[in-house]
Amino acid sequence: MSDQRILRPKPISGFPEWSPEIRSVEQAWLDHIRTGFERYGFASVETPSVESLDVLMAKGETSQEVYTLHRLQEGAEGDSSDARLGLHFDLTVPFARYAAQHFNELTFPFKRYQMQRVWRGERPQEGRFREFTQCDIDVINADQVPLHFDAELPRIVHEVLTGLDLPAWTISVNNRKVLQGYYEGLGITDPVAVIRAVDKLHKIGADGVRAILVDQVGLSERQAAACLELAAVKSADASVVTEVKRLGVESQLLDEGLEELGFVLDSLDDLPAGSVVADLSIARGLDYYTGTVYEAAFDDDPGYGSICAGGRYEDLAGEFIRRRLPGVGISIGLTRIFAKLVAEGRITPGRSCPTEVLVAVPSAERRGDALRIGAQLRDRGINTEVFHQAAKIGKQIQYASRKGIGHVWFPPFEDGGEHEVKNLGSGEQTTADPESWRP
Amino acid sequence: MSDQRILRPKPISGFPEWSPEIRSVEQAWLDHIRTGFERYGFASVETPSVESLDVLMAKGETSQEVYTLHRLQEGAEGDSSDARLGLHFDLTVPFARYAAQHFNELTFPFKRYQMQRVWRGERPQEGRFREFTQCDIDVINADQVPLHFDAELPRIVHEVLTGLDLPAWTISVNNRKVLQGYYEGLGITDPVAVIRAVDKLHKIGADGVRAILVDQVGLSERQAAACLELAAVKSADASVVTEVKRLGVESQLLDEGLEELGFVLDSLDDLPAGSVVADLSIARGLDYYTGTVYEAAFDDDPGYGSICAGGRYEDLAGEFIRRRLPGVGISIGLTRIFAKLVAEGRITPGRSCPTEVLVAVPSAERRGDALRIGAQLRDRGINTEVFHQAAKIGKQIQYASRKGIGHVWFPPFEDGGEHEVKNLGSGEQTTADPESWRP
């Protein structure tokens, strides 16, 4: 083979790939999250990886990040039938399209989870990938969505993340009605502009936000100060309602928002203190949120960005169906969380293979016995390999040891003889019965 | 809302999407297959959905089917860094690249499974999709791969497919050395051309193949007849060896191939008769197969195409690494199988949600009790919804019934009172203890 013919493959930036040992942990995480979602009655939905560009662009926001598909030989065949397909950049737009398209087949309130890869044609940087997995839950209904769900979603996320043994994190909750009502109570005419400015608080600081509010949005110094006063409110429980009321601003929308926020926090008061907190600086820039909003981050690295986010929206799929579909949803940024922990060496690698026991093949004559023992163990749900050839026992033990297989099984030397199993951890070797032994 | 603003979404041809009831069956299939692969000690690998075009084109075969990625705004930013990425069209090329790239981190023989979506820019037709899921297992090694695995792979596929309750199917096995050795024994100088012609047998029939062999490959009538005689051999067991030998052709390679084929069939003789058969007409057109080849099809619809396929190759990743990596692999066409059964109404829809019990909320005051009962049941691994608002009991039962939830739980009317559970199937209502009840 000449050197030129070897194409040494390199990792593609922004497209994570794991060794088998890390992948087995990722798979365990995915199973854990799925089980957690199903425990609350959410049903699995998967959508194609692509949507038509019309659908992806229906909200017109994220055009920059979309990967479009082209057939490599398109020019040659003069065919452009696929030219209008793009990879989905989140799971919300595909779910909106799905809910509209299958509206008549779904039972409402419809609770779905969706765990899939999404793609964004972004420049990769810390915490930003071009291919990554998101785990979304949403509840939508055909008229209104009870507030019950605003409290249930962070509870589910709390439960799921708790099971993953992450570095400390906090779920922050706020309510857009509180922000909007408070701003209106201050006599501000463009509350959305204020929300957008406050959303930058963690990046540019209070003085930066104040400057935008006064210079660009046109607030008085007093109004700007009052907005920053609200954004500074944080509370681990429903006492947040009193704290905000103490600021002395009044509006009906504010009262409504505070009631909702209080309901959510009260409903979660059985969770460990500080795991879900009210943080009035959380704004979520996206226009479609209208009530509760969520955002979670690592306590020791808030600048890494949100690891989950979501909120309540008045209408999911207005672009696709003449039915209002309000809902509330939250998305876990699985890859963003997992990749950070991998990079920091905080993921304990799993096993390199799922095998629990290796059945040794001491000689070609006894291969049939070994195969039968393997089948017996597998029938009992034990992950079993039969060694792939007759070989010296030492070589077979070495194979098991290199692969992290915990036990080696030795078939009896003669018909009716004793089976033995060696525990490679302890070195202990004991007799065993393939009908009852457990690893 | 004006009519123009509604974009009615339509299914995209070639990109299957399922209702929650069908999706739950697909998920059960995927879990079943995964468990089956792990039972034999195969480790999970996932690769990015994209590879660089260099990698995808390394074998230079399937250029027509590749979807390339482009950033929608690429022109505007003048950036073409992603222009050389394409979606993978199978899981073999990505695995070859993975094995080469991570060679030093893997333990050999390396047994991996990979269950992912793949994409082909083909014109959709029956059994052909543009996005579909494949479930692959491969064993590769750094020098040689024991024949043990040639027998193990069809055994795994047999076990996995048996658990899926499919219409009758057969796994056919052949060996490329038998074909090549037999053709060489007949004095044929271009055995590969004969393999390609015989591969068309099921499409164009014996006369069509004979015509190609005589007119295009240049065989004598006698040679062509002998080739067709071999292709007609079928056998449910290792007696195939005797049958082929009876044809009177001799070559060392043929003997070697027959020994391998006999070994594979002998090793599988405990499986139900007819589930894995020798079929000497199976050629698998792909050049890289060098020994055992596999192909499975539905008995009642062989023309639908193969539902699994694979074989033994001398070198997986020669384009990417200066190490020979021989192996043997087989791929289950999950979507091809599943979509056919869905289309034919042969999939019994699953539940529309995973909920096993709905806890009723008879009044707002008792919502807290209902939430606690829900948490208790979930802690015990029971998928539980708490109804989302206080409402008439009839409405709550109706919700459970529409969603196919089997049981409704009624919290006690007063502290210390009795819990009751209604079985919606039987209509029976009994007292129950949240600490011990099982659905």
Side-chain angles (χ1 to χ4, degrees):
Chain A
M1 266 181 225
S2 75
D3 207 27
Q4 305 90 293
R5 288 165 61 200
I6 302 292
L7 172 74
R8 290 182 199 285
K10 291 183 194 67
I12 306 174
S13 168
F15 291 84
E17 174 170 273
W18 314 122
S19 68
E21 292 82 356
I22 298 295
R23 165 67 192 151
S24 72
V25 180
E26 185 190 41
Q27 184 63 62
W29 280 36
L30 289 164
D31 288 344
H32 168 80
I33 296 171
R34 195 222 299 186
T35 304
F37 291 166
E38 293 190 345
R39 198 66 87 226
Y40 281 80
F42 285 69
S44 171
V45 160
E46 287 204 347
T47 59
S49 302
V50 309
E51 299 287 341
S52 79
L53 279 189
D54 288 350
V55 166
L56 290 177
M57 297 295 114
K59 291 198 198 288
E61 282 175 57
T62 35
S63 53
Q64 252 194 332
E65 304 175 349
V66 175
Y67 276 124
T68 56
L69 297 193
H70 299 263
R71 292 176 54 212
L72 189 60
Q73 300 292 345
E74 204 163 308
E77 292 204 5
D79 166 44
S80 60
S81 63
D82 304 340
R84 302 197 53 74
L85 298 180
L87 292 170
H88 56 214
F89 54 81
D90 71 7
L91 300 175
T92 304
V93 171
F95 178 52
R97 193 267 311 145
Y98 182 95
Q101 191 175 320
H102 302 281
F103 180 80
N104 292 321
E105 305 149 40
L106 303 178
T107 309
F108 292 94
F110 181 55
K111 302 167 71 170
R112 85 87 173 78
Y113 72 91
Q114 190 167 353
M115 301 168 59
Q116 285 187 251
R117 298 178 181 218
V118 305
W119 294 265
R120 291 186 192 172
E122 299 189 343
R123 231 159 258 297
Q125 47 177 299
E126 208 206 0
R128 303 258 170 201
F129 297 91
R130 296 199 281 182
E131 174 172 56
F132 53 101
T133 299
Q134 288 196 321
C135 307
D136 281 28
I137 39 177
D138 284 82
V139 182
I140 54 167
N141 205 0
D143 54 50
Q144 56 98 8
V145 174
L147 212 53
H148 166 87
F149 293 114
D150 296 53
E152 188 171 71
L153 297 200
R155 177 184 294 281
I156 297 171
V157 168
H158 169 82
E159 205 165 297
V160 159
L161 293 187
T162 298
L164 293 178
D165 192 25
L166 305 182
W169 44 270
T170 303
I171 302 176
S172 300
V173 186
N174 194 1
N175 191 300
R176 292 284 281 259
K177 288 180 188 170
V178 171
L179 300 183
Q180 193 165 344
Y182 183 93
Y183 302 149
E184 285 173 9
L186 288 171
I188 294 168
T189 47
D190 187 359
V192 172
V194 180
I195 286 174
R196 289 215 188 94
V198 171
D199 199 33
K200 301 195 173 101
L201 185 60
H202 296 278
K203 277 188 194 146
I204 62 175
D207 288 341
V209 173
R210 192 193 324 268
I212 297 178
L213 291 178
V214 174
D215 302 344
Q216 294 175 29
V217 186
L219 303 197
S220 69
E221 287 287 350
R222 219 183 116 254
Q223 285 173 322
C227 290
L228 285 163
E229 217 172 1
L230 181 70
V233 173
K234 285 186 180 46
S235 167
D237 57 41
S239 69
V240 65
V241 175
T242 329
E243 282 189 57
V244 173
K245 286 196 168 153
R246 199 179 295 149
L247 300 178
V249 177
E250 283 184 12
S251 96
Q252 202 192 318
L253 191 61
L254 173 60
D255 288 345
E256 213 179 289
L258 285 173
E259 198 177 319
E260 292 181 8
L261 186 58
F263 176 90
V264 169
L265 290 162
D266 271 339
S267 300
L268 298 171
D269 66 3
D270 59 311
L271 298 182
S275 46
V276 180
V277 304
D279 180 340
L280 280 287
S281 72
I282 298 296
R284 302 298 305 151
L286 296 173
D287 286 345
Y288 53 80
Y289 292 125
T290 53
T292 307
V293 287
Y294 313 106
E295 202 168 283
F298 287 120
D299 294 351
D300 67 355
D301 191 2
Y304 184 67
S306 63
I307 58 173
C308 326
R312 171 178 274 260
Y313 38 84
E314 274 319 291
D315 191 15
L316 177 72
E319 296 83 2
F320 308 125
I321 191 171
R322 271 130 123 10
R323 286 293 291 254
R324 209 171 58 86
L325 288 175
V328 54
I330 192 162
S331 172
I332 300 177
L334 191 273
T335 301
R336 179 179 278 196
I337 299 173
F338 190 72
K340 177 181 163 75
L341 270 59
V342 171
E344 294 174 356
R346 293 167 107 147
I347 295 287
T348 307
R351 311 252 320 276
S352 76
C353 72
T355 314
E356 297 168 282
V357 55
L358 173 75
V359 181
V361 179
S363 65
E365 296 71 45
R366 284 156 68 204
R367 185 169 170 272
D369 291 343
L371 289 174
R372 270 185 296 279
I373 295 163
Q376 254 179 310
L377 294 171
R378 284 189 203 103
D379 278 350
R380 296 182 43 240
I382 299 168
N383 294 344
T384 307
E385 282 187 56
V386 174
F387 197 68
H388 40 270
Q389 58 198 7
K392 292 212 172 102
I393 291 301
K395 188 180 165 185
Q396 302 190 43
I397 292 175
Q398 191 190 28
Y399 169 82
S401 167
R402 276 189 301 129
K403 285 219 159 179
I405 300 171
H407 298 85
V408 179
W409 191 284
F410 303 105
F413 282 94
E414 54 203 4
D415 284 352
E418 297 258 45
H419 297 253
E420 293 197 2
V421 179
K422 186 183 182 73
N423 179 325
L424 295 192
S426 67
E428 208 184 351
Q429 186 160 331
T430 53
T431 61
D433 179 351
E435 283 304 323
S436 58
W437 179 83
R438 290 243 144 252
Chain B
M1 268 181 224
S2 76
D3 207 25
Q4 304 92 289
R5 289 166 58 199
I6 302 293
L7 172 74
R8 289 181 199 286
K10 290 183 194 68
I12 306 174
S13 169
F15 291 84
E17 176 171 271
W18 314 121
S19 69
E21 292 82 356
I22 297 296
R23 165 67 192 151
S24 71
V25 180
E26 185 190 39
Q27 183 62 61
W29 279 37
L30 290 164
D31 288 343
H32 168 80
I33 295 170
R34 194 222 301 186
T35 304
F37 290 166
E38 294 190 345
R39 198 67 86 225
Y40 281 81
F42 285 70
S44 171
V45 160
E46 287 204 346
T47 58
S49 302
V50 310
E51 298 288 342
S52 80
L53 279 189
D54 287 351
V55 167
L56 291 176
M57 296 295 113
K59 291 196 196 290
E61 280 174 59
T62 36
S63 54
Q64 252 195 332
E65 304 175 350
V66 175
Y67 276 125
T68 56
L69 298 194
H70 298 264
R71 292 176 55 212
L72 189 59
Q73 301 292 345
E74 205 163 306
E77 293 204 6
D79 166 44
S80 60
S81 63
D82 305 341
R84 302 198 53 74
L85 299 179
L87 292 170
H88 55 214
F89 53 82
D90 71 6
L91 301 176
T92 303
V93 172
F95 178 53
R97 194 264 314 145
Y98 182 95
Q101 191 175 319
H102 303 281
F103 180 79
N104 292 322
E105 306 149 41
L106 303 178
T107 309
F108 293 94
F110 182 55
K111 302 166 70 170
R112 85 86 173 78
Y113 73 90
Q114 190 167 353
M115 301 169 60
Q116 286 187 251
R117 297 178 181 216
V118 305
W119 293 267
R120 292 187 190 171
E122 299 190 341
R123 232 157 256 298
Q125 47 178 298
E126 207 205 1
R128 302 258 171 202
F129 298 91
R130 297 198 282 181
E131 174 173 53
F132 54 101
T133 299
Q134 287 196 321
C135 307
D136 281 29
I137 39 178
D138 283 82
V139 183
I140 55 167
N141 206 359
D143 54 51
Q144 57 98 10
V145 174
L147 213 53
H148 167 86
F149 294 114
D150 297 52
E152 187 171 74
L153 297 200
R155 177 183 292 280
I156 297 171
V157 167
H158 170 83
E159 205 167 296
V160 159
L161 293 186
T162 298
L164 293 178
D165 192 25
L166 305 181
W169 43 270
T170 302
I171 302 175
S172 300
V173 186
N174 195 1
N175 190 300
R176 291 283 280 262
K177 290 180 187 168
V178 171
L179 300 183
Q180 194 166 341
Y182 182 93
Y183 303 150
E184 285 173 9
L186 287 170
I188 294 169
T189 48
D190 187 359
V192 172
V194 180
I195 286 174
R196 289 216 187 93
V198 170
D199 198 35
K200 302 197 173 100
L201 184 61
H202 296 277
K203 279 190 192 143
I204 63 175
D207 288 341
V209 172
R210 191 192 325 268
I212 295 177
L213 292 177
V214 174
D215 300 344
Q216 293 175 29
V217 187
L219 303 197
S220 71
E221 288 287 351
R222 218 181 116 259
Q223 284 173 321
C227 291
L228 286 162
E229 220 174 358
L230 181 70
V233 173
K234 286 186 178 48
S235 166
D237 56 42
S239 70
V240 65
V241 175
T242 329
E243 282 189 58
V244 173
K245 286 196 167 153
R246 199 179 294 146
L247 299 178
V249 177
E250 283 184 13
S251 96
Q252 202 193 320
L253 191 61
L254 173 61
D255 287 345
E256 212 180 289
L258 286 174
E259 198 177 317
E260 293 181 6
L261 186 58
F263 176 89
V264 169
L265 291 161
D266 270 339
S267 299
L268 298 170
D269 67 1
D270 59 310
L271 298 182
S275 43
V276 180
V277 305
D279 180 340
L280 281 286
S281 71
I282 298 296
R284 301 298 306 153
L286 295 173
D287 285 346
Y288 53 80
Y289 291 125
T290 53
T292 307
V293 287
Y294 314 104
E295 201 168 283
F298 287 121
D299 294 351
D300 67 354
D301 191 1
Y304 184 67
S306 63
I307 58 173
C308 323
R312 171 179 274 261
Y313 38 84
E314 274 319 293
D315 191 16
L316 178 71
E319 296 84 2
F320 308 125
I321 191 171
R322 272 129 124 7
R323 286 292 292 254
R324 209 171 58 87
L325 288 175
V328 53
I330 192 162
S331 172
I332 301 177
L334 190 273
T335 302
R336 180 180 277 194
I337 299 172
F338 190 72
K340 177 180 162 79
L341 270 59
V342 171
E344 292 174 356
R346 291 167 109 150
I347 295 288
T348 308
R351 311 253 319 276
S352 75
C353 72
T355 314
E356 296 167 281
V357 55
L358 173 75
V359 181
V361 179
S363 64
E365 296 72 45
R366 283 158 67 205
R367 185 168 171 273
D369 293 342
L371 288 174
R372 271 186 294 279
I373 296 163
Q376 254 180 311
L377 294 170
R378 283 189 205 104
D379 279 349
R380 296 184 42 241
I382 299 167
N383 294 344
T384 307
E385 281 187 58
V386 174
F387 196 68
H388 40 271
Q389 59 198 6
K392 291 214 174 100
I393 291 301
K395 189 180 163 186
Q396 301 188 45
I397 291 175
Q398 191 191 29
Y399 168 83
S401 165
R402 275 188 302 130
K403 284 219 161 178
I405 300 170
H407 299 85
V408 179
W409 191 285
F410 303 106
F413 282 95
E414 54 204 3
D415 285 352
E418 298 257 45
H419 297 254
E420 294 198 2
V421 179
K422 187 182 181 75
N423 179 325
L424 295 191
S426 67
E428 209 182 350
Q429 186 162 330
T430 52
T431 61
D433 178 352
E435 283 304 323
S436 58
W437 179 84
R438 290 242 143 252

